[in-house]
Amino acid sequence: MRLFLAIVKWVAAIFFSSTILAVVAYRFIPVYVTPLMVIRCFQQIGNGESVTLHHHWVPMSEISQHLPVAVMASEDQRFLIHHGFDFNAIQSAVRRNRQGGKRKLGASTISQQTAKNVFLWPGRSWTRKGFEVYFTALIELMWSKQRIMEVYLNSIEMGNGIYGADAVAEYHFSKRASDLSRSECALIAATLPNPRKFDSSAPSAYMRKRQRTIEHEMKFIPTFPKEGEDINPDTAAGGVYHHRR
């Protein structure tokens, strides 16, 4: 029993020290590869396909100012004011899911998606969800909102073998991430529920409808603040950020 407890203590110490060190390191170091990128490469090999991985890390200053607003409008409108978990969205999703329906609603925030993309594997098990909660709490504690968004926009899957804002800008729009228009950013955000099904380079009528909806919702999201700046509610036409005044 003593040996078992000693092993548990050592495993716990190694786990917490290594994960905290990784989170601290990624506060400053670009994330060049994620577990999902590696998994997708092995899936391509298993399917007899050529390995395709397009990913260019760029700083937030080289990403269109419209893209963080678009993904917030689409994925997580309260991103700048919650602490990693949107409990209002969780309660709403629980109520909607209890009503039945084939499609279950989620309430995953940008912080949670970033934690999952950078540190974990895809899946829906309670074990992975528990790790997601842990890493989300860590990055919210140790990273700024600007850093979370920067890592998110650089690591998220945005097409088949395409990861991050600069890669999707090049391969779907023939430009740099800094040159993406407001409409193009809304179109990219429209693919995020399933970027391997919804193609921003060849949008369907459904995607165009989502694009228009996101562009409308972007009016209620303030300009994304730079590091050290406060939210400016005057840059949004009402919405939750005006309620905080």
Side-chain angles (χ1 to χ4, degrees):
M1 181 60 69
R2 289 181 178 177
L3 178 61
F4 174 76
L5 291 176
I7 293 174
V8 169
K9 289 180 180 178
W10 273 105
V11 170
I14 292 172
F15 171 77
F16 286 112
S17 60
S18 61
T19 53
I20 291 172
L21 180 62
V23 171
V24 171
Y26 276 142
R27 172 66 178 86
F28 307 100
I29 300 172
V31 181
Y32 290 117
V33 66
T34 67
L36 181 62
M37 295 178 192
V38 176
I39 290 170
R40 292 289 190 238
C41 288
F42 278 105
Q43 289 175 341
Q44 291 167 355
I45 295 171
N47 294 332
E49 304 169 358
S50 59
V51 175
T52 303
L53 197 164
H54 303 296
H55 177 237
H56 323 139
W57 175 276
V58 292
M60 197 70 178
S61 60
E62 295 180 19
I63 297 175
S64 170
Q65 63 178 348
H66 301 297
L67 192 55
V69 176
V71 296
M72 286 171 59
S74 173
E75 300 288 296
D76 183 6
Q77 296 195 1
R78 296 171 57 86
F79 171 69
L80 290 171
I81 55 178
H82 66 57
H83 299 289
F85 308 95
D86 189 344
F87 295 104
N88 291 339
I90 292 171
Q91 292 174 357
S92 178
V94 170
R95 286 195 298 268
R96 288 283 300 275
N97 291 336
R98 283 177 178 173
Q99 295 173 1
K102 294 182 179 180
R103 182 174 177 268
K104 296 297 184 181
L105 293 180
S108 182
T109 64
I110 286 174
S111 301
Q112 288 175 269
Q113 293 179 51
T114 303
K116 177 187 68 177
N117 290 339
V118 175
F119 299 104
L120 301 171
W121 63 95
R124 296 181 177 275
S125 70
W126 286 108
T127 299
R128 196 205 60 78
K129 199 66 178 177
F131 282 123
E132 180 184 304
V133 170
Y134 169 72
F135 278 107
T136 299
L138 279 186
I139 66 173
E140 279 281 342
L141 180 65
M142 298 183 181
W143 297 1
S144 65
K145 288 291 187 178
Q146 288 77 12
R147 179 58 176 178
I148 294 173
M149 181 62 77
E150 182 178 53
V151 173
Y152 175 80
L153 293 179
N154 273 286
S155 63
I156 192 167
E157 189 174 30
M158 291 183 170
N160 286 317
I162 296 175
Y163 305 88
D166 203 50
V168 75
E170 178 181 350
Y171 289 96
H172 283 186
F173 300 95
S174 300
K175 58 177 64 176
R176 300 301 303 271
S178 57
D179 299 323
L180 289 167
S181 68
R182 185 176 188 273
S183 179
E184 290 166 341
C185 289
L187 183 58
I188 291 170
T191 70
L192 296 186
N194 192 337
R196 295 202 294 167
K197 176 182 178 182
F198 303 124
D199 187 349
S200 58
S201 66
S204 63
Y206 170 76
M207 281 189 61
R208 289 298 187 187
K209 182 179 179 180
R210 273 188 53 81
Q211 178 189 24
R212 291 191 295 270
T213 299
I214 292 169
E215 285 192 83
H216 172 74
E217 292 298 322
M218 288 170 69
K219 298 177 182 178
F220 305 101
I221 306 297
T223 300
F224 195 76
K226 295 180 181 179
E227 193 80 47
E229 291 183 348
D230 293 327
I231 302 167
N232 182 1
D234 291 332
T235 58
V240 65
Y241 292 95
H242 272 242
H243 296 162
R244 292 176 56 82
R245 304 186 89 177

